[in-house]
Amino acid sequence: MLLSLVVHTYSLRYWLPAAVMLGTAPAYLLSWSVWRLLSTVLPSRLYHTVDDRVYSVYQSMVLFFFENYTGVEIVIYGDIPKKKENVVYVSNHQSTADWIIADMLAIRQNALGHVRYVLKDGLKWLPLYGWYFSQHGGVYVKRSANFDEKAMKKKLSSQTKLGTPSSKPVSWKSLTSLSVMACAVRSAPNSISPMKSEMYLVIFPEGTRYNPELQKIINDSQDFAAKEGLAVLKHVLTPRMKASHVAIETMKEHLDAVYDITVAYEGTLTADGQRHPAPTMPEFLCQECPRVHIHFSRLNMREIPAEPVFFRRWLHERFEIKDKLLTTFYDPEDPEKKGRFPGESQTSNLSLTKTLPSLLILGGLTLPMLFTESGRKLYLNTWLYGTLIGWVWVTIATRSSLYPSQRVTAVTRIQCVSSPDGGS
């Protein structure tokens, strides 16, 4: 009985935050849908500005659980720019929690709302989330021969051309209401070049997670590298260059830099020196990772070659550097240096003031829905109809490259199909 109590208590460490994060999704989607419908008569720049801010509310709540709730210590090597930049974020991939690490860095630059992900195609079928990530600017890609370069270019181009003409940079913080924001956008001269749409695009070039227990995947990756005359990597997989190259080349006039990120999860090395798989999202929430080490490098756009053959070599060289960093972390020549990257580091703490308000806002929107019969019906209908509508939308988008910034009216028609009782 005592063992059962311990097991149930342990599982609650995961189920409680998971229930809150998933449970607030319908209220979030309904709030976003109302704004999406209202914004169809407003400039697209205004819609995306508010969408980024609304998105940051939900992601801040997620970070409350993954950082404040777990108490994980974030150790950063390198200097993260204090101001926001338009970037492509390139990282090694080993855990389902890797996307959270990107959020952790973005919130420290006040850029959380601008995060978009390059995701594998199957994730677009996630209930509610798959559709919304695409609406927010996420890009779904297929691997190898099925990779659709044209669709990815089209999506990214649409994101970088969302700017609204302005005679001078507009500080949205100085605008006190949506009506004033709309006025400022509409009054801008048409003859001036567009403002930049802010972009923090996250890519994991390996294409799949590195898992030391899946030796066949590692061997195949190493065999491919050897066959192609590339350095064989031990702690990362051979990177795939297509998505990274398309993203950087499509947005090169829009980007300020590329962030090269190497992540190591503490607690993944056994006493006998064997590397274990990185923690999954549930394990992370169960506080099985005491510390995350993040090595940060900012790369100037001038350093990145444009030609595919040279870009491929450049990307592989960046992963060679990652491999050396991870070798130093897991198996250094000096045992005293095990469990850390070389160089100076600093612990970065995330203030509750950046995350707790979002939890309270989304909780405040969700709880009233659950206290009444009509609210519960709306809540369940949002899960049901929101999921079905999302699947219809991604099916249409897949077949016709239909994206929100290009076919707003079609998206609006899809949204209006839902029942009066509570579709999204």
Side-chain angles (χ1 to χ4, degrees):
M1 184 175 179
L2 180 59
L3 178 60
S4 177
L5 179 62
V6 170
V7 170
H8 286 301
T9 302
Y10 179 81
S11 65
L12 280 175
R13 296 165 73 180
Y14 162 64
W15 285 110
L16 177 62
V20 175
M21 288 186 284
L22 292 172
T24 55
Y28 175 82
L29 186 67
L30 283 172
S31 303
W32 171 82
S33 296
V34 169
W35 167 242
R36 188 70 186 99
L37 289 169
L38 290 174
S39 69
T40 56
V41 296
L42 298 173
S44 62
R45 173 68 185 183
L46 177 58
Y47 160 69
H48 286 280
T49 298
V50 176
D51 178 53
D52 281 1
R53 293 192 176 189
V54 172
Y55 179 75
S56 69
V57 171
Y58 187 85
Q59 293 295 68
S60 296
M61 179 201 66
V62 171
L63 286 177
F64 168 82
F65 288 109
F66 276 92
E67 193 160 348
N68 301 120
Y69 169 82
T70 62
V72 65
E73 186 177 309
I74 306 301
V75 183
I76 299 177
Y77 303 75
D79 297 321
I80 300 176
K82 294 181 179 180
K83 67 175 184 177
K84 292 186 288 188
E85 296 186 290
N86 291 315
V87 301
V88 169
Y89 169 112
V90 176
S91 175
N92 59 315
H93 193 21
Q94 57 194 310
S95 167
T96 52
D98 286 338
W99 65 277
I100 298 292
I101 307 303
D103 285 359
M104 289 176 176
L105 292 182
I107 198 171
R108 285 163 168 81
Q109 289 182 275
N110 295 316
L112 187 57
H114 312 316
V115 174
R116 278 91 177 166
Y117 308 100
V118 175
L119 302 161
K120 60 182 179 182
D121 192 66
L123 293 176
K124 68 186 178 185
W125 302 111
L126 285 173
L128 299 187
Y129 293 94
W131 173 43
Y132 177 72
F133 279 144
S134 183
Q135 289 278 332
H136 185 66
V139 183
Y140 292 106
V141 297
K142 295 181 180 179
R143 296 174 183 169
S144 304
N146 294 321
F147 177 75
D148 192 338
E149 180 176 334
K150 184 178 180 181
M152 184 175 182
K153 284 183 177 179
K154 192 174 184 180
K155 183 67 177 284
L156 292 175
S157 294
S158 73
Q159 289 297 311
T160 57
K161 293 176 182 176
L162 294 174
T164 301
S166 175
S167 57
K168 59 181 180 179
V170 177
S171 174
W172 296 112
K173 290 183 179 179
S174 66
L175 302 176
T176 57
S177 68
L178 293 182
S179 59
V180 176
M181 289 171 71
C183 218
V185 172
R186 289 173 181 271
S187 63
N190 292 328
S191 58
I192 308 299
S193 60
M195 294 166 54
K196 278 187 175 183
S197 173
E198 292 162 314
M199 174 67 73
Y200 198 104
L201 186 69
V202 178
I203 301 178
F204 301 105
E206 289 162 280
T208 192
R209 294 187 296 274
Y210 178 98
N211 185 337
E213 294 181 350
L214 301 180
Q215 197 59 46
K216 184 180 184 306
I217 292 177
I218 296 172
N219 290 341
D220 289 346
S221 174
Q222 293 174 339
D223 290 344
F224 176 80
K227 179 182 176 182
E228 296 295 316
L230 301 169
V232 174
L233 308 173
K234 180 180 179 182
H235 289 289
V236 292
L237 301 177
T238 303
R240 303 165 187 259
M241 56 85 69
K242 285 185 179 179
S244 302
H245 183 253
V246 169
I248 293 173
E249 276 302 295
T250 301
M251 301 190 297
K252 62 184 178 182
E253 301 300 326
H254 186 76
L255 297 174
D256 297 307
V258 168
Y259 289 172
D260 185 6
I261 309 298
T262 306
V263 177
Y265 297 91
E266 196 163 303
T268 54
L269 193 64
T270 63
D272 60 356
Q274 296 298 313
R275 181 179 174 184
H276 273 192
T280 62
M281 289 173 64
E283 291 168 343
F284 199 103
L285 288 170
C286 287
Q287 303 173 4
E288 292 190 12
C289 179
R291 202 170 284 108
V292 177
H293 296 260
I294 306 171
H295 190 279
F296 176 92
S297 295
R298 183 187 185 277
L299 307 179
N300 194 292
M301 295 301 297
R302 291 193 297 270
E303 300 177 26
I304 304 170
E307 289 297 320
V309 63
F310 297 117
F311 181 90
R312 181 191 190 193
R313 174 66 66 177
W314 170 85
L315 183 62
H316 196 85
E317 288 173 353
R318 296 309 309 180
F319 270 74
E320 288 180 53
I321 294 172
K322 293 180 186 297
D323 198 53
K324 290 176 181 176
L325 288 170
L326 290 167
T327 298
T328 301
F329 187 92
Y330 289 113
D331 189 26
E333 294 181 1
D334 182 356
E336 295 295 322
K337 295 181 179 179
K338 182 175 289 188
R340 59 171 288 111
F341 290 131
E344 296 294 322
S345 66
Q346 57 181 344
T347 300
S348 178
N349 299 313
L350 182 61
S351 171
L352 275 172
T353 59
K354 288 194 172 185
T355 58
L356 185 58
S358 296
L359 174 63
L360 297 176
I361 289 170
L362 290 168
L365 290 172
T366 301
L367 288 177
M369 296 176 65
L370 303 178
F371 288 153
T372 64
E373 183 178 351
S374 60
R376 288 191 292 272
K377 188 174 182 181
L378 175 62
Y379 183 88
L380 293 174
N381 281 341
T382 302
W383 269 112
L384 176 60
Y385 291 113
T387 298
L388 294 176
I389 291 169
W391 288 345
V392 170
W393 191 91
V394 296
T395 300
I396 295 173
T398 300
R399 293 179 179 177
S400 61
S401 298
L402 184 69
Y403 296 115
S405 60
Q406 298 160 325
R407 305 281 182 86
V408 170
T409 55
V411 174
T412 304
R413 290 190 191 107
I414 291 174
Q415 290 171 329
C416 291
V417 170
S418 59
S419 70
D421 290 324
S424 61

